Amino acid sequence: MIPAPFDYKRASSAAEAISIVSQYGDDAKFLAGGHSLLPLMKLRLAQPAVLVDIARVNDLSYIRDAGDHIAIGALTRHTELERSSLLQQHIPLLSHAASHVGDPQVRHRGTLGGSIAHADPASDLPATTLALGATYVAQGPNGTRQIAASDFYKGFLESALSADEMLTEIRVPKMDGAGWSFQKFNRRAQDWAIVGVAAWRKGSNAGVALVNMGSTPILASSVNQAIAQGASVEDAARLASSEAEPQDDMNASADYRRHLASVLVRRALEQSSR
Amino acid sequence: MGGSILGNRVLRKEDPKFLTVGGKYVDDLLDESLLAGALHVTYARSTVAHGNIRSIDTSDAASMPGIVAVFTGADLGLTPQPATFNPMVARSALAMDKVRYVGEPIVAIISETREQGEDAAEMVIVDYDILEALTDIEKALTSSIHIYESCGSNAVFDTTALGMPDNTGDAFFEGCEVVVKQRVLNQRVAPCPLEVRGAAVAWVDGRLYQWLSTQHAQGARDSIAAANGLEASQVRVITPDVGGGFGAKIGSYPEEQLLGRLSKEVGKPLRWRETRSESMMALGHGRAQVQYLTIGGTRDGHVTAYQMHVLQDCGAWFDMGAILAPFMTRPMSSGVYAIPKIECRTTSVITNTTPVVAYRGAGRPEATAAIERAMDLFAAEIGMDAAEVRRKNLIPKFDEPHTTVIGQTYDVGDYEVALDKALTAANYKDLRAEQARRRSAVDVKQLGIGVSVYVEITGGVPPMGETAKVEITDDGRAVVYTGTSPHGQGHATAWSMLTSEQTGIPMDNIELVWGDTDLVPSGGGTMGSRSLQQGGVAVFKVAGQVVDKAKAVAARLLEANEEDIVLDRDRGAFHVAGTPAVAKTWAELAVASKAEGGLKHEEMHSVSGATFPFGAHVSVVEVDTETGKVSLLKQIACDDAGKVLNPLLLDGQIHGGVAQGAAQALLEEVRYDADGNPVTSNLADYAFISAAEMPDIQVVHMETPTFVNPLGVKGIGESGTIGSTPAVQSAVVDALAHLGIRHIDMPCTPMRVWEALHGRK
Ligand SMILES: Cc1cc2nc3c(=O)[nH]c(=O)nc-3n(C[C@H](O)[C@H](O)[C@H](O)COP(=O)(O)OP(=O)(O)OC[C@H]3O[C@@H](n4cnc5c(N)ncnc54)[C@H](O)[C@@H]3O)c2cc1C
């Protein structure tokens, strides 16, 4: 419960943070809200030599209307997503999903960029932005690049980012009045999802992604295709686990997870289709 | 003349501090001068559940920055110490040749900062011969591997060895029209006080001072003295604020008992505070029984025979948990029912898990859970309403002691009224109608209704009494010394009410002293819901005795007869009856008593026995039949604790009890993997209940005074936990009863419920 020794540096801009991190290579880690990294460090599952604190890079905390999408700074806190009227109007699914992350303390510290960069399959916002077809903007020593959410998640806690790349912006297409639903199935209100579903639907277009159904957030492409081909909600929901590789853990067996996924996808699609 | 303060909803006088500056816990004693320059203690703990220690290498740890000293058991010359109730079970405070659970302390590290200690603990290298981990109680019972070899068995305590009769098997149910059997798990849970264990020590003029987060300073003083080879008078235990105990802080632990010795070795005061992960592994656990139940009776609903064999999981040490089954569960096996034939055998079994202690309810919740589950199974088998079957079998109202077939005597009881009150408050008939509607509509969310009726023992363990001292200061305030030990319950308020009632001294002018063994040398602490019926009664009587003493002094000063002196409680002043104008205040009397050593009285007041609070709970749950998720919608709690001193404090105990009880039914379970590693050692994995999962709790009033003590009071600290758990579990099963489901083990997690539904033919 006490982390191993580490050095602490505070950066005041993205460029400064990236340059510090590139000096140390794999030994350094960005520290945003700290709500995923610090628990791992306290359990000594992560022992970075240097933490580069980016929490005060204030110009990366924003929610802006950028025409066809909303641009969100990587350091925007979950609470801000939850309360943003811009998001509530254009991307209510993301705002609502953010309101289900942990508890109020967690939502006041945790950042959208941190949640995505951490690439935890059990987190709510990676799957939600995946369902919404988001694009992530990363900045490294050699400039910036855009990564589609569908190309970003590589494995358990592994993403397309290299060690010296920092997420700076998340671009999420406006939902354009699509129906939506966020189904989070957990033991207690503040818990991580045993299984979660983020979904939207507009006519024959649907985007469904799954939380905690494999080593990465999972895009339920078979479900989305089935809806595009005119399948009923019931039939589409049966395909919920086609792309998933759920694990057994203390709370759920893989079988139970598959069962939950199909029930929750059906409920999500029903709600989105209203 | 104002009315009595007793029975009123008086606000807690301790709360302004807790709600503003906060409590001062052991770890907050930063400005304690006796602890200046204190070093920190960290224990390196076993990472394997069961193994022989081949070697311990502390050299790398000792060379880490800030490390002052590192000690193994051998370095300290420790030897195995026998357990109180079975001397064949023996261990040393630091494991030396064998480890028996993950988390057992092996090495003590003294460092300048706590962080350095934790870093060094990682560098301790222990080489083990790993043995099979026996975390499962049924496996441990039959295994040929013995965790304490000298015992020749993992079963270390059995009622048959104590001379109690063995169970006679199926023959016992001859003549029963209906017989139902069920194996029931009363799972292992963690008490989870928000304040983990902590202590600090200093040697002061050859005496050991130990600040300790405890429920029983005087008991801790004695065991710390014994462990350090000292007289009790050479140890002073001081209890700062304590952030919860739930029974797990009744006894003192090896990590605490070693501190004095370690401090002596390094010549400095020491501080120790465990982390949450350590606390989850090494603070005692609770419950942990497997029960084999058989119940038999007539088709028209009369239970005629009940048999139970309890396996009590002791964990890896023979602690208090080991004796709960024979001495708390067994005597209460009849519950509130008049059952003509009962057999109950208990067997306590050592396993490679955290030792089990007396957790909130301690043996009685297990007895209640067993008989209530059995009643439900019996009701389901004969197709009778759960409330109706209970009513048919209840012991009729009694106000003289009643003895059950198993041999336990209860003080007073009126169980049917409790049941009726709870059913009425719940609108039981309407609930059943709504349930029928949902069943016929095949709703996804089915309604479940659970009923439990219980009786329990409070104030049932020695000392059957308590010491109190009341002292009047020169400015007319009262200082009350008590051997009970508040850690959240509200003693400062309750004891002030009792003192104020007797003396007329205002609540704000009454101060409570507790938990410092130099100031309160004898006391039984706070456990087993004993405080009010023993400690409170003592305070009430002693305060009355101080009033008598004050009358004598007033008589002298007023040159009157003692019998003519009256106390005007509204003013807190004494005068001759009929002449209120000439009066003596408490302050004047205290000053006038100086020559005789002041105005005070101290006495141990005994009570004649335990009390047996009872009640009935109704739980209403909704079960999502597609996912297995249970939502607790409502809990109706009728808990009769005799005369109520302060309904606010009563409600608080019921609310907390219901929360912990519901948590056991739905959420909490300590679990181990196949190698005996705990997998629930933090509050993210261990599903401690939160406010969001709590339903509306409806507290239903009922007061049946006991004759056992002059206040007519019984305990309320554990009742909420005892009544709620079986009602909630029963409600979950009831929601699915029409689908053929008869039993689901606790905790009724979504997956367990789904498996029950899924596994059904
Ligand atoms: C008690 C608790 C409950 C929680 N419950 C939930 C829940 O229900 N659902 C949920 O989704 N989450 C939950 N979380 C996690 C929470 O949402 C985290 O805040 C979030 O996952 C990580 O964001 P952060 O800003 O705290 O990242 P940090 O912990 O600071 O960082 C996480 C990782 O991302 C890297 N990183 C951070 N920012 C960037 C960046 N801009 N660019 C590149 N790398 C970066 C860090 O180096 C680190 O490796 C919970 C956390 C706690 C403590």
Side-chain angles (χ1 to χ4, degrees), chain A residues 30 32-37 78 101-102 110-111 115 117 123-124 167 184 192:
Chain A
F30 297 110
H35 268 45
S36 289
L37 184 53
H78 305 325
V101 172
T111 66
S115 180
S123 284
D124 300 312
L167 267 188
K184 182 168 179 173
W192 299 83

Side-chain angles (χ1 to χ4, degrees), chain B residues 743-759:
Chain B
H743 178 74
I744 300 173
D745 269 328
M746 299 189 292
C748 304
T749 60
M751 185 158 92
R752 281 231 172 110
V753 172
W754 176 73
E755 281 173 346
L757 283 163
H758 195 70

